[in-house]
Amino acid sequence: MITERAMLAAVHISIWTAVKHDRKVSRDVAHQHGAHDSAGRYNKQLLRGAEKLEALRILAGQIRQYFYKITLPWSDEGYRLLPAHFYFEFTTQMREFERAFSQSVDDFLEVYPSYIEQVRPELNGLFRAEDYPSAEKLRAKFGVKLEVLPIPTGEDFRVTLSEEEQARVAREIDESVRQSLKRGTRDLWVRLTDVLTHMVNKLSDPESRFHASLVTNVFDLVDLLPRLNVNQDEDLNRFAAEIKDRLCNFSAHDLKKNEILRVATASDAAQILSQMDAILRGREQELAESNDKSTRQNAPSVDDIFSHMSPYMEAATP
């Protein structure tokens, strides 16, 4: 069951924006132009050149990037699918991130007063000491929080309803889970298509310049993909193995030096892309045919229609 192979996870990161809406200036500007008070909004940048705050933003981006790398889309509420294979690695890495984030907050707060004094002359008449929270209050505006939950199933639904309603809601929950799993699988196909397309485009153009990441990004993804493939899509695993075998044996440096090798690798990548496209198109066609067949099966026959109408027709007969 999918509940044994994966779970849901969300990472919430909060950072002080260092931006303040100045209502007085906003009103003054509106009045100067004969506009309504709500016509515009003036936001002040409370700090400038605050390297320690920028370091926190960069770290937050790295945390999100890591989280998205080893998870799959699930819902619009921020939860993503975390394969069970990654749980211990993920929680260990998140603890490291949390420690680094906490230390970076300490580093920022240590120089926070100097940043305020640095920006005071720049803001000049716009500077207001009350715009700046105390270090104690400011600390509460930073944080990294991890949430891990089990995947819901129809069997988990325990609200008191009629048996028929319970069964209907359980079916809806299970169907929602199935659709979310399909969304995660599509995400893997998109990731794979994107890195291969980039490789083909770069290697096919003799004038293009590329870096080591052209190959390492492909290798990292196909190495990760079988563990992310919680829906056990056999075609995805097969393509991952083929790509690793055919496209990841040479470095970007090798491809730059050897024109024949570069062209051959571009050709192999294009061929695999074509095969992937054929698989996906075939699946889309099968799905369309299945939906069409289901629609025809569910559609009432002429006999059904007349059988349903007959009581009304008889009642209308004088």
Short mmCIF file of all heavy atoms in Angstrom, two decimals, residues 24-88:
data_model
loop_
_atom_site.label_atom_id
_atom_site.label_comp_id
_atom_site.label_asym_id
_atom_site.label_seq_id
_atom_site.Cartn_x
_atom_site.Cartn_y
_atom_site.Cartn_z
N LYS A 24 1.33 57.16 6.52
CA LYS A 24 1.38 58.61 6.40
C LYS A 24 1.91 59.04 5.04
O LYS A 24 1.31 59.91 4.37
CB LYS A 24 2.26 59.21 7.50
CG LYS A 24 2.33 60.74 7.46
CD LYS A 24 3.20 61.29 8.56
CE LYS A 24 3.21 62.83 8.52
NZ LYS A 24 3.64 63.36 7.21
N VAL A 25 3.01 58.45 4.62
CA VAL A 25 3.57 58.80 3.31
C VAL A 25 2.60 58.41 2.20
O VAL A 25 2.42 59.15 1.22
CB VAL A 25 4.94 58.11 3.11
CG1 VAL A 25 5.44 58.35 1.68
CG2 VAL A 25 5.94 58.62 4.12
N SER A 26 1.94 57.27 2.35
CA SER A 26 0.98 56.84 1.33
C SER A 26 -0.16 57.85 1.20
O SER A 26 -0.57 58.20 0.08
CB SER A 26 0.40 55.46 1.70
OG SER A 26 1.42 54.48 1.75
N ARG A 27 -0.65 58.36 2.36
CA ARG A 27 -1.72 59.37 2.32
C ARG A 27 -1.22 60.67 1.72
O ARG A 27 -1.91 61.30 0.90
CB ARG A 27 -2.26 59.62 3.74
CG ARG A 27 -3.15 58.54 4.29
CD ARG A 27 -3.91 59.06 5.51
NE ARG A 27 -3.01 59.52 6.55
CZ ARG A 27 -2.53 58.75 7.53
NH1 ARG A 27 -2.86 57.47 7.58
NH2 ARG A 27 -1.72 59.25 8.45
N ASP A 28 -0.01 61.07 2.10
CA ASP A 28 0.55 62.33 1.60
C ASP A 28 0.67 62.30 0.07
O ASP A 28 0.32 63.28 -0.61
CB ASP A 28 1.92 62.59 2.22
CG ASP A 28 1.82 62.94 3.71
OD1 ASP A 28 0.69 63.24 4.17
OD2 ASP A 28 2.86 62.90 4.40
N VAL A 29 1.17 61.21 -0.45
CA VAL A 29 1.34 61.09 -1.90
C VAL A 29 -0.01 61.12 -2.59
O VAL A 29 -0.20 61.79 -3.63
CB VAL A 29 2.10 59.80 -2.25
CG1 VAL A 29 2.08 59.56 -3.78
CG2 VAL A 29 3.53 59.86 -1.75
N ALA A 30 -0.98 60.41 -2.02
CA ALA A 30 -2.32 60.40 -2.61
C ALA A 30 -2.92 61.80 -2.63
O ALA A 30 -3.51 62.23 -3.64
CB ALA A 30 -3.22 59.44 -1.83
N HIS A 31 -2.77 62.55 -1.52
CA HIS A 31 -3.33 63.90 -1.44
C HIS A 31 -2.64 64.86 -2.42
O HIS A 31 -3.30 65.71 -3.03
CB HIS A 31 -3.22 64.44 -0.01
CG HIS A 31 -4.08 63.70 0.96
ND1 HIS A 31 -3.97 63.83 2.33
CD2 HIS A 31 -5.08 62.80 0.75
CE1 HIS A 31 -4.87 63.04 2.91
NE2 HIS A 31 -5.53 62.41 1.97
N GLN A 32 -1.34 64.68 -2.58
CA GLN A 32 -0.60 65.52 -3.52
C GLN A 32 -1.13 65.38 -4.94
O GLN A 32 -1.06 66.31 -5.74
CB GLN A 32 0.88 65.17 -3.48
CG GLN A 32 1.62 65.63 -2.22
CD GLN A 32 3.03 65.10 -2.16
OE1 GLN A 32 3.55 64.59 -3.15
NE2 GLN A 32 3.67 65.20 -0.99
N HIS A 33 -1.63 64.21 -5.24
CA HIS A 33 -2.11 63.96 -6.60
C HIS A 33 -3.64 63.93 -6.68
O HIS A 33 -4.20 63.52 -7.71
CB HIS A 33 -1.55 62.62 -7.11
CG HIS A 33 -0.05 62.64 -7.28
ND1 HIS A 33 0.57 63.07 -8.43
CD2 HIS A 33 0.95 62.30 -6.43
CE1 HIS A 33 1.88 63.00 -8.29
NE2 HIS A 33 2.14 62.53 -7.08
N GLY A 34 -4.28 64.36 -5.61
CA GLY A 34 -5.74 64.42 -5.62
C GLY A 34 -6.39 63.06 -5.71
O GLY A 34 -7.49 62.93 -6.27
N ALA A 35 -5.72 62.04 -5.19
CA ALA A 35 -6.25 60.68 -5.27
C ALA A 35 -6.81 60.24 -3.93
O ALA A 35 -6.57 60.86 -2.89
CB ALA A 35 -5.14 59.71 -5.71
N HIS A 36 -7.56 59.14 -3.95
CA HIS A 36 -8.11 58.58 -2.71
C HIS A 36 -6.97 58.02 -1.87
O HIS A 36 -5.93 57.60 -2.40
CB HIS A 36 -9.10 57.47 -3.06
CG HIS A 36 -9.90 56.99 -1.89
ND1 HIS A 36 -9.47 55.98 -1.06
CD2 HIS A 36 -11.11 57.39 -1.40
CE1 HIS A 36 -10.37 55.78 -0.12
NE2 HIS A 36 -11.38 56.62 -0.30
N ASP A 37 -7.16 57.98 -0.55
CA ASP A 37 -6.11 57.50 0.35
C ASP A 37 -5.66 56.08 0.03
O ASP A 37 -4.51 55.71 0.25
CB ASP A 37 -6.60 57.53 1.81
CG ASP A 37 -6.65 58.95 2.35
OD1 ASP A 37 -6.25 59.88 1.60
OD2 ASP A 37 -7.08 59.14 3.50
N SER A 38 -6.59 55.26 -0.49
CA SER A 38 -6.26 53.86 -0.77
C SER A 38 -5.73 53.65 -2.20
O SER A 38 -5.56 52.52 -2.64
CB SER A 38 -7.49 52.98 -0.56
OG SER A 38 -8.54 53.37 -1.45
N ALA A 39 -5.45 54.74 -2.90
CA ALA A 39 -5.03 54.62 -4.30
C ALA A 39 -3.63 54.04 -4.45
O ALA A 39 -3.27 53.48 -5.48
CB ALA A 39 -5.10 55.98 -4.99
N GLY A 40 -2.80 54.18 -3.43
CA GLY A 40 -1.43 53.68 -3.52
C GLY A 40 -0.91 53.25 -2.18
O GLY A 40 -1.54 53.48 -1.13
N ARG A 41 0.24 52.64 -2.20
CA ARG A 41 0.82 52.10 -0.97
C ARG A 41 2.33 52.29 -1.01
O ARG A 41 2.99 51.82 -1.95
CB ARG A 41 0.46 50.61 -0.88
CG ARG A 41 0.94 49.91 0.39
CD ARG A 41 0.62 48.43 0.31
NE ARG A 41 1.04 47.71 1.49
CZ ARG A 41 0.28 47.45 2.55
NH1 ARG A 41 -0.98 47.87 2.54
NH2 ARG A 41 0.75 46.79 3.60
N TYR A 42 2.87 52.95 -0.02
CA TYR A 42 4.31 53.18 0.04
C TYR A 42 4.92 52.23 1.07
O TYR A 42 4.59 52.29 2.26
CB TYR A 42 4.62 54.63 0.41
CG TYR A 42 6.09 54.95 0.34
CD1 TYR A 42 6.67 55.37 -0.86
CD2 TYR A 42 6.91 54.81 1.46
CE1 TYR A 42 8.03 55.65 -0.94
CE2 TYR A 42 8.26 55.09 1.39
CZ TYR A 42 8.82 55.50 0.19
OH TYR A 42 10.16 55.76 0.11
N ASN A 43 5.79 51.35 0.61
CA ASN A 43 6.45 50.40 1.50
C ASN A 43 7.92 50.78 1.67
O ASN A 43 8.65 50.93 0.69
CB ASN A 43 6.36 48.98 0.92
CG ASN A 43 4.94 48.45 0.94
OD1 ASN A 43 4.20 48.70 1.87
ND2 ASN A 43 4.57 47.74 -0.11
N LYS A 44 8.34 50.90 2.90
CA LYS A 44 9.73 51.26 3.20
C LYS A 44 10.59 50.01 3.34
O LYS A 44 10.18 49.04 3.96
CB LYS A 44 9.81 52.07 4.50
CG LYS A 44 9.24 53.44 4.45
CD LYS A 44 9.53 54.21 5.73
CE LYS A 44 8.88 53.57 6.94
NZ LYS A 44 8.97 54.43 8.14
N GLN A 45 11.79 50.09 2.80
CA GLN A 45 12.79 49.06 3.05
C GLN A 45 13.53 49.45 4.33
O GLN A 45 14.28 50.41 4.35
CB GLN A 45 13.76 48.99 1.87
CG GLN A 45 13.11 48.66 0.53
CD GLN A 45 12.53 47.25 0.50
OE1 GLN A 45 13.09 46.33 1.10
NE2 GLN A 45 11.41 47.10 -0.18
N LEU A 46 13.27 48.71 5.39
CA LEU A 46 13.81 49.09 6.70
C LEU A 46 15.31 48.87 6.82
O LEU A 46 15.96 49.52 7.64
CB LEU A 46 13.07 48.33 7.80
CG LEU A 46 11.56 48.61 7.91
CD1 LEU A 46 10.96 47.81 9.05
CD2 LEU A 46 11.30 50.10 8.11
N LEU A 47 15.84 47.95 6.05
CA LEU A 47 17.28 47.68 6.07
C LEU A 47 17.82 47.64 4.65
O LEU A 47 17.11 47.21 3.73
CB LEU A 47 17.59 46.35 6.77
CG LEU A 47 17.19 46.19 8.24
CD1 LEU A 47 17.56 44.80 8.74
CD2 LEU A 47 17.83 47.26 9.11
N ARG A 48 19.06 48.07 4.49
CA ARG A 48 19.72 48.00 3.18
C ARG A 48 21.14 47.48 3.41
O ARG A 48 21.82 47.88 4.35
CB ARG A 48 19.76 49.37 2.52
CG ARG A 48 18.38 49.83 2.01
CD ARG A 48 18.43 51.26 1.49
NE ARG A 48 19.45 51.44 0.47
CZ ARG A 48 19.30 51.13 -0.82
NH1 ARG A 48 18.16 50.61 -1.23
NH2 ARG A 48 20.26 51.35 -1.69
N GLY A 49 21.55 46.58 2.52
CA GLY A 49 22.89 46.03 2.65
C GLY A 49 23.06 45.14 3.88
O GLY A 49 24.17 45.00 4.40
N ALA A 50 21.98 44.54 4.33
CA ALA A 50 22.02 43.66 5.51
C ALA A 50 22.44 42.26 5.07
O ALA A 50 21.59 41.40 4.79
CB ALA A 50 20.67 43.64 6.21
N GLU A 51 23.72 42.01 5.01
CA GLU A 51 24.24 40.76 4.47
C GLU A 51 23.79 39.55 5.30
O GLU A 51 23.53 38.47 4.74
CB GLU A 51 25.76 40.81 4.43
CG GLU A 51 26.30 41.85 3.44
CD GLU A 51 27.82 41.87 3.42
OE1 GLU A 51 28.43 41.10 4.19
OE2 GLU A 51 28.38 42.65 2.64
N LYS A 52 23.69 39.70 6.60
CA LYS A 52 23.29 38.57 7.44
C LYS A 52 21.83 38.19 7.20
O LYS A 52 21.46 37.02 7.28
CB LYS A 52 23.50 38.91 8.92
CG LYS A 52 24.95 39.20 9.30
CD LYS A 52 25.85 37.99 9.10
CE LYS A 52 27.26 38.26 9.58
NZ LYS A 52 28.17 37.11 9.37
N LEU A 53 20.99 39.18 6.90
CA LEU A 53 19.59 38.88 6.58
C LEU A 53 19.50 38.22 5.21
O LEU A 53 18.73 37.28 5.01
CB LEU A 53 18.76 40.17 6.61
CG LEU A 53 17.26 40.01 6.34
CD1 LEU A 53 16.62 39.06 7.33
CD2 LEU A 53 16.57 41.38 6.38
N GLU A 54 20.31 38.70 4.28
CA GLU A 54 20.33 38.09 2.95
C GLU A 54 20.82 36.65 3.02
O GLU A 54 20.33 35.78 2.29
CB GLU A 54 21.24 38.91 2.02
CG GLU A 54 21.29 38.41 0.59
CD GLU A 54 19.92 38.41 -0.09
OE1 GLU A 54 19.05 39.21 0.31
OE2 GLU A 54 19.73 37.60 -1.02
N ALA A 55 21.77 36.37 3.92
CA ALA A 55 22.26 35.00 4.10
C ALA A 55 21.13 34.09 4.56
O ALA A 55 21.05 32.91 4.15
CB ALA A 55 23.41 34.99 5.11
N LEU A 56 20.24 34.60 5.40
CA LEU A 56 19.09 33.81 5.85
C LEU A 56 18.14 33.51 4.69
O LEU A 56 17.60 32.41 4.58
CB LEU A 56 18.35 34.56 6.96
CG LEU A 56 18.89 34.36 8.37
CD1 LEU A 56 18.40 35.46 9.30
CD2 LEU A 56 18.48 33.00 8.91
N ARG A 57 17.95 34.50 3.83
CA ARG A 57 17.07 34.28 2.67
C ARG A 57 17.66 33.23 1.73
O ARG A 57 16.94 32.39 1.17
CB ARG A 57 16.86 35.60 1.92
CG ARG A 57 16.04 36.62 2.72
CD ARG A 57 15.94 37.93 1.98
NE ARG A 57 15.17 38.93 2.72
CZ ARG A 57 15.47 40.21 2.79
NH1 ARG A 57 16.55 40.67 2.17
NH2 ARG A 57 14.72 41.04 3.49
N ILE A 58 18.97 33.28 1.55
CA ILE A 58 19.63 32.29 0.69
C ILE A 58 19.50 30.89 1.29
O ILE A 58 19.21 29.91 0.58
CB ILE A 58 21.12 32.66 0.49
CG1 ILE A 58 21.23 33.95 -0.34
CG2 ILE A 58 21.88 31.52 -0.17
CD1 ILE A 58 22.65 34.49 -0.43
N LEU A 59 19.70 30.79 2.59
CA LEU A 59 19.57 29.50 3.26
C LEU A 59 18.15 28.97 3.14
O LEU A 59 17.93 27.77 2.92
CB LEU A 59 19.97 29.63 4.74
CG LEU A 59 19.87 28.35 5.59
CD1 LEU A 59 20.69 27.22 4.98
CD2 LEU A 59 20.31 28.64 7.02
N ALA A 60 17.17 29.84 3.28
CA ALA A 60 15.77 29.43 3.14
C ALA A 60 15.52 28.88 1.74
O ALA A 60 14.82 27.86 1.56
CB ALA A 60 14.84 30.62 3.40
N GLY A 61 16.12 29.50 0.73
CA GLY A 61 15.99 29.01 -0.64
C GLY A 61 16.62 27.64 -0.80
O GLY A 61 16.09 26.77 -1.50
N GLN A 62 17.76 27.41 -0.16
CA GLN A 62 18.43 26.12 -0.23
C GLN A 62 17.59 25.02 0.43
O GLN A 62 17.52 23.89 -0.07
CB GLN A 62 19.80 26.21 0.45
CG GLN A 62 20.79 27.09 -0.29
CD GLN A 62 22.05 27.34 0.50
OE1 GLN A 62 22.10 27.10 1.71
NE2 GLN A 62 23.09 27.82 -0.17
N ILE A 63 16.94 25.37 1.55
CA ILE A 63 16.08 24.40 2.24
C ILE A 63 14.91 24.01 1.34
O ILE A 63 14.58 22.82 1.19
CB ILE A 63 15.56 24.98 3.57
CG1 ILE A 63 16.73 25.22 4.53
CG2 ILE A 63 14.54 24.04 4.21
CD1 ILE A 63 16.35 25.98 5.79
N ARG A 64 14.27 25.01 0.74
CA ARG A 64 13.13 24.73 -0.13
C ARG A 64 13.57 23.90 -1.34
O ARG A 64 12.87 22.97 -1.77
CB ARG A 64 12.48 26.03 -0.60
CG ARG A 64 11.79 26.81 0.52
CD ARG A 64 11.00 27.98 -0.04
NE ARG A 64 10.38 28.77 1.02
CZ ARG A 64 10.89 29.89 1.51
NH1 ARG A 64 12.05 30.36 1.01
NH2 ARG A 64 10.29 30.54 2.47
N GLN A 65 14.72 24.25 -1.91
CA GLN A 65 15.23 23.52 -3.07
C GLN A 65 15.47 22.05 -2.73
O GLN A 65 15.10 21.16 -3.51
CB GLN A 65 16.53 24.17 -3.56
CG GLN A 65 17.06 23.59 -4.87
CD GLN A 65 18.30 24.32 -5.33
OE1 GLN A 65 19.09 24.82 -4.55
NE2 GLN A 65 18.48 24.40 -6.65
N TYR A 66 16.06 21.79 -1.59
CA TYR A 66 16.29 20.41 -1.16
C TYR A 66 14.96 19.69 -0.95
O TYR A 66 14.79 18.54 -1.38
CB TYR A 66 17.10 20.40 0.15
CG TYR A 66 17.19 19.04 0.79
CD1 TYR A 66 18.03 18.06 0.27
CD2 TYR A 66 16.42 18.73 1.91
CE1 TYR A 66 18.10 16.80 0.85
CE2 TYR A 66 16.48 17.47 2.49
CZ TYR A 66 17.33 16.51 1.96
OH TYR A 66 17.39 15.27 2.53
N PHE A 67 14.01 20.36 -0.30
CA PHE A 67 12.70 19.76 -0.03
C PHE A 67 11.99 19.38 -1.32
O PHE A 67 11.45 18.26 -1.45
CB PHE A 67 11.86 20.74 0.79
CG PHE A 67 10.47 20.26 1.10
CD1 PHE A 67 10.27 19.08 1.79
CD2 PHE A 67 9.36 21.00 0.70
CE1 PHE A 67 8.98 18.64 2.08
CE2 PHE A 67 8.08 20.56 0.99
CZ PHE A 67 7.89 19.38 1.68
N TYR A 68 12.01 20.27 -2.29
CA TYR A 68 11.34 19.98 -3.56
C TYR A 68 12.06 18.89 -4.35
O TYR A 68 11.43 18.15 -5.12
CB TYR A 68 11.22 21.26 -4.41
CG TYR A 68 10.09 22.15 -3.98
CD1 TYR A 68 10.31 23.27 -3.21
CD2 TYR A 68 8.78 21.87 -4.34
CE1 TYR A 68 9.27 24.09 -2.79
CE2 TYR A 68 7.72 22.67 -3.95
CZ TYR A 68 7.97 23.78 -3.17
OH TYR A 68 6.93 24.58 -2.76
N LYS A 69 13.36 18.79 -4.16
CA LYS A 69 14.14 17.80 -4.91
C LYS A 69 13.75 16.37 -4.53
O LYS A 69 13.67 15.50 -5.40
CB LYS A 69 15.63 18.03 -4.65
CG LYS A 69 16.55 17.02 -5.35
CD LYS A 69 18.00 17.31 -5.03
CE LYS A 69 18.93 16.29 -5.68
NZ LYS A 69 20.36 16.56 -5.35
N ILE A 70 13.52 16.11 -3.23
CA ILE A 70 13.29 14.74 -2.80
C ILE A 70 11.82 14.45 -2.48
O ILE A 70 11.49 13.44 -1.87
CB ILE A 70 14.15 14.38 -1.58
CG1 ILE A 70 13.75 15.21 -0.36
CG2 ILE A 70 15.62 14.55 -1.88
CD1 ILE A 70 14.33 14.66 0.93
N THR A 71 10.92 15.35 -2.89
CA THR A 71 9.50 15.12 -2.69
C THR A 71 8.76 15.31 -4.01
O THR A 71 9.32 15.81 -4.99
CB THR A 71 8.91 16.09 -1.64
OG1 THR A 71 9.16 17.45 -2.05
CG2 THR A 71 9.54 15.86 -0.28
N LEU A 72 7.49 14.94 -4.00
CA LEU A 72 6.65 15.05 -5.19
C LEU A 72 5.41 15.89 -4.87
O LEU A 72 4.98 15.96 -3.71
CB LEU A 72 6.21 13.66 -5.66
CG LEU A 72 7.33 12.70 -6.05
CD1 LEU A 72 6.77 11.30 -6.28
CD2 LEU A 72 8.05 13.19 -7.31
N PRO A 73 4.80 16.52 -5.88
CA PRO A 73 3.60 17.32 -5.64
C PRO A 73 2.49 16.48 -5.01
O PRO A 73 2.33 15.30 -5.33
CB PRO A 73 3.19 17.78 -7.05
CG PRO A 73 4.44 17.65 -7.86
CD PRO A 73 5.19 16.50 -7.29
N TRP A 74 1.73 17.11 -4.13
CA TRP A 74 0.59 16.41 -3.52
C TRP A 74 -0.64 17.30 -3.46
O TRP A 74 -1.66 16.99 -4.05
CB TRP A 74 0.95 15.91 -2.12
CG TRP A 74 -0.15 15.12 -1.48
CD1 TRP A 74 -1.08 15.57 -0.59
CD2 TRP A 74 -0.47 13.75 -1.72
NE1 TRP A 74 -1.94 14.56 -0.24
CE2 TRP A 74 -1.59 13.43 -0.93
CE3 TRP A 74 0.11 12.76 -2.52
CZ2 TRP A 74 -2.16 12.16 -0.93
CZ3 TRP A 74 -0.46 11.49 -2.52
CH2 TRP A 74 -1.58 11.20 -1.73
N SER A 75 -0.56 18.41 -2.74
CA SER A 75 -1.74 19.27 -2.59
C SER A 75 -1.33 20.73 -2.68
O SER A 75 -0.16 21.08 -2.66
CB SER A 75 -2.42 19.01 -1.24
OG SER A 75 -1.64 19.55 -0.18
N ASP A 76 -2.35 21.59 -2.76
CA ASP A 76 -2.11 23.03 -2.83
C ASP A 76 -1.88 23.64 -1.45
O ASP A 76 -1.61 24.83 -1.34
CB ASP A 76 -3.31 23.73 -3.50
CG ASP A 76 -3.49 23.30 -4.94
OD1 ASP A 76 -2.48 22.94 -5.58
OD2 ASP A 76 -4.63 23.31 -5.42
N GLU A 77 -1.98 22.83 -0.41
CA GLU A 77 -1.82 23.35 0.96
C GLU A 77 -0.37 23.30 1.44
O GLU A 77 -0.09 23.55 2.61
CB GLU A 77 -2.69 22.55 1.94
CG GLU A 77 -4.19 22.86 1.84
CD GLU A 77 -4.81 22.23 0.61
OE1 GLU A 77 -4.43 21.09 0.26
OE2 GLU A 77 -5.66 22.87 -0.02
N GLY A 78 0.55 22.96 0.57
CA GLY A 78 1.96 22.94 0.93
C GLY A 78 2.51 21.57 1.24
O GLY A 78 3.72 21.41 1.39
N TYR A 79 1.64 20.57 1.35
CA TYR A 79 2.12 19.22 1.63
C TYR A 79 2.61 18.56 0.34
O TYR A 79 2.01 18.73 -0.73
CB TYR A 79 1.02 18.36 2.25
CG TYR A 79 0.75 18.73 3.68
CD1 TYR A 79 -0.29 19.60 4.00
CD2 TYR A 79 1.54 18.24 4.72
CE1 TYR A 79 -0.54 19.97 5.32
CE2 TYR A 79 1.31 18.60 6.03
CZ TYR A 79 0.27 19.46 6.33
OH TYR A 79 0.04 19.83 7.61
N ARG A 80 3.71 17.81 0.46
CA ARG A 80 4.26 17.07 -0.67
C ARG A 80 4.51 15.63 -0.25
O ARG A 80 4.57 15.31 0.94
CB ARG A 80 5.56 17.74 -1.16
CG ARG A 80 5.31 19.09 -1.83
CD ARG A 80 6.60 19.79 -2.19
NE ARG A 80 7.37 19.09 -3.21
CZ ARG A 80 7.18 19.21 -4.52
NH1 ARG A 80 6.22 20.02 -4.97
NH2 ARG A 80 7.94 18.57 -5.38
N LEU A 81 4.62 14.78 -1.25
CA LEU A 81 4.78 13.35 -0.99
C LEU A 81 6.25 13.04 -0.74
O LEU A 81 7.12 13.31 -1.57
CB LEU A 81 4.28 12.55 -2.19
CG LEU A 81 4.15 11.04 -1.99
CD1 LEU A 81 3.00 10.74 -1.04
CD2 LEU A 81 3.93 10.35 -3.33
N LEU A 82 6.53 12.46 0.43
CA LEU A 82 7.90 12.09 0.80
C LEU A 82 8.01 10.57 0.79
O LEU A 82 7.41 9.89 1.64
CB LEU A 82 8.24 12.63 2.19
CG LEU A 82 9.58 12.19 2.78
CD1 LEU A 82 10.73 12.81 2.00
CD2 LEU A 82 9.67 12.56 4.26
N PRO A 83 8.79 9.99 -0.13
CA PRO A 83 8.98 8.53 -0.13
C PRO A 83 9.63 8.08 1.18
O PRO A 83 10.50 8.76 1.72
CB PRO A 83 9.92 8.30 -1.33
CG PRO A 83 9.69 9.48 -2.22
CD PRO A 83 9.43 10.63 -1.28
N ALA A 84 9.21 6.92 1.66
CA ALA A 84 9.72 6.42 2.94
C ALA A 84 11.24 6.22 2.89
O ALA A 84 11.91 6.35 3.92
CB ALA A 84 9.02 5.10 3.29
N HIS A 85 11.78 5.93 1.69
CA HIS A 85 13.24 5.74 1.55
C HIS A 85 14.01 6.95 2.06
O HIS A 85 15.15 6.82 2.51
CB HIS A 85 13.62 5.54 0.07
CG HIS A 85 12.95 4.36 -0.56
ND1 HIS A 85 13.26 3.06 -0.25
CD2 HIS A 85 11.98 4.29 -1.51
CE1 HIS A 85 12.53 2.25 -0.98
NE2 HIS A 85 11.74 2.96 -1.74
N PHE A 86 13.40 8.13 1.94
CA PHE A 86 14.12 9.36 2.24
C PHE A 86 13.88 9.87 3.67
O PHE A 86 14.45 10.89 4.05
CB PHE A 86 13.70 10.47 1.27
CG PHE A 86 14.20 10.26 -0.13
CD1 PHE A 86 13.32 9.95 -1.15
CD2 PHE A 86 15.55 10.37 -0.42
CE1 PHE A 86 13.77 9.76 -2.44
CE2 PHE A 86 16.01 10.18 -1.71
CZ PHE A 86 15.12 9.87 -2.72
N TYR A 87 13.03 9.18 4.43
CA TYR A 87 12.61 9.75 5.71
C TYR A 87 13.80 10.07 6.63
O TYR A 87 13.93 11.21 7.11
CB TYR A 87 11.65 8.81 6.43
CG TYR A 87 11.26 9.34 7.80
CD1 TYR A 87 10.35 10.38 7.93
CD2 TYR A 87 11.84 8.80 8.96
CE1 TYR A 87 10.02 10.89 9.18
CE2 TYR A 87 11.51 9.31 10.21
CZ TYR A 87 10.60 10.34 10.31
OH TYR A 87 10.29 10.85 11.54
N PHE A 88 14.67 9.11 6.88
CA PHE A 88 15.77 9.34 7.83
C PHE A 88 16.79 10.33 7.26
O PHE A 88 17.29 11.19 7.98
CB PHE A 88 16.43 8.02 8.19
CG PHE A 88 15.55 7.12 9.02
CD1 PHE A 88 14.99 5.98 8.46
CD2 PHE A 88 15.26 7.44 10.33
CE1 PHE A 88 14.15 5.16 9.20
CE2 PHE A 88 14.43 6.63 11.09
CZ PHE A 88 13.87 5.48 10.52
#
